[in-house]
Amino acid sequence: LAPRGITFAIICKECAAKNDVPHLKTTLDNMKPYKEDLDKSCYTIIIRACTEVGKWIQAEEMLQEMKRAGVYPDVVTYTSLMTAYAEDLNLQGAKQVWDEMEESNIKPNVVAYSAYIEGFAKGGEVDDALDKMAQMIRSGRKPCAQTCLIVIKALAVKDRWDEIDAMVVLFKEVETVTSSSIVPDLFESIKKKDFKRLLSLDI
């Protein structure tokens, strides 16, 4: 029997977990004759596995191969790849995937928005992060407290303290039991413009 797509996907995932790049490449080569066995979930797992070991070209190739095979990516597939780019602070790659997702008329979910906003904020592109957050809110979704905190820190890094107040209001709207524990320190550090103390806060 020909190996099924899920088998290849599981092997690729295990290779990524072990950072076993040679085995991953071999698996991708061995998989070529059996691509008809791959469904959307398999492609998504394999794409993510490639990104986890820094094989961006292979990940992009799998995305294009997926389309050629008539298996069209959904929001989970695009979000998986875009999130990986954002976490690696590969902002150009993240934006490219985001644009492609929108061109495919696929609506981003909360995970996609959060990954994009956090990646661009950490990468120093605060305006892009703020624009995407505004788009997120217009779509009827709200960022989590963690995302708000990351943007607040990014604004502080840019010495844009006057723009932080609006983010604090949003933070309070979405705060949870966990995030509420840092509120006193958050307010105090912002009030005193205590950059070092603010950056030390985490949820």
Side-chain angles (χ1 to χ4, degrees):
L1 295 175
R4 303 303 295 177
I6 191 61
T7 303
F8 284 116
I10 291 172
I11 294 173
C12 288
K13 186 176 182 178
E14 290 176 349
C15 289
K18 298 175 182 177
N19 198 29
D20 189 348
V21 178
H23 193 188
L24 175 60
K25 292 175 68 175
T26 300
T27 303
L28 293 176
D29 289 338
N30 292 339
M31 185 178 66
K32 290 177 181 178
Y34 306 104
K35 287 185 177 178
E36 67 275 5
D37 290 341
L38 300 178
D39 61 13
K40 191 177 298 183
S41 297
C42 293
Y43 274 111
T44 300
I45 293 171
I46 294 168
I47 288 170
R48 181 67 183 183
C50 289
T51 62
E52 287 178 0
V53 292
K55 293 299 177 182
W56 304 104
I57 294 177
Q58 286 83 350
E60 290 286 355
E61 287 177 349
M62 288 302 300
L63 181 63
Q64 300 310 317
E65 177 60 36
M66 182 179 186
K67 294 178 181 178
R68 287 193 293 269
V71 183
Y72 294 100
D74 58 11
V75 66
V76 177
T77 309
Y78 279 117
T79 299
S80 180
L81 181 55
M82 193 276 298
T83 299
Y85 275 127
E87 288 175 350
D88 200 52
L89 298 186
N90 185 334
L91 305 186
Q92 183 178 353
K95 188 176 188 307
Q96 180 179 332
V97 175
W98 183 280
D99 291 344
E100 187 174 335
M101 179 172 64
E102 288 195 325
E103 289 168 4
S104 300
N105 294 317
I106 295 176
K107 294 182 179 180
N109 56 21
V110 173
V111 177
Y113 274 116
S114 300
Y116 189 102
I117 293 166
E118 292 178 16
F120 275 74
K122 290 178 179 178
E125 300 295 334
V126 188
D127 289 328
D128 280 319
L130 291 172
D131 286 345
K132 199 61 66 182
M133 182 175 284
Q135 179 183 330
M136 180 183 190
I137 294 171
R138 287 195 300 270
S139 74
R141 299 172 175 85
K142 286 187 178 181
C144 67
Q146 175 68 29
T147 302
C148 292
L149 180 60
I150 289 172
V151 174
I152 288 171
K153 290 180 178 181
L155 287 169
V157 169
K158 296 290 186 179
D159 200 28
R160 292 165 60 172
W161 295 91
D162 55 328
E163 298 176 57
I164 289 179
D165 287 346
M167 286 304 308
V168 171
V169 172
L170 183 57
F171 179 91
K172 289 182 68 177
E173 289 179 5
V174 299
E175 71 176 76
T176 62
V177 174
T178 303
S179 61
S180 64
S181 64
I182 71 164
V183 168
D185 283 335
L186 176 64
F187 286 1
E188 187 70 15
S189 61
I190 292 172
K191 181 180 179 181
K192 294 183 177 180
K193 294 186 178 181
D194 189 338
F195 178 74
K196 186 175 181 180
R197 183 178 179 185
L198 176 58
L199 292 189
S200 71
L201 299 178
D202 203 359
I203 298 174

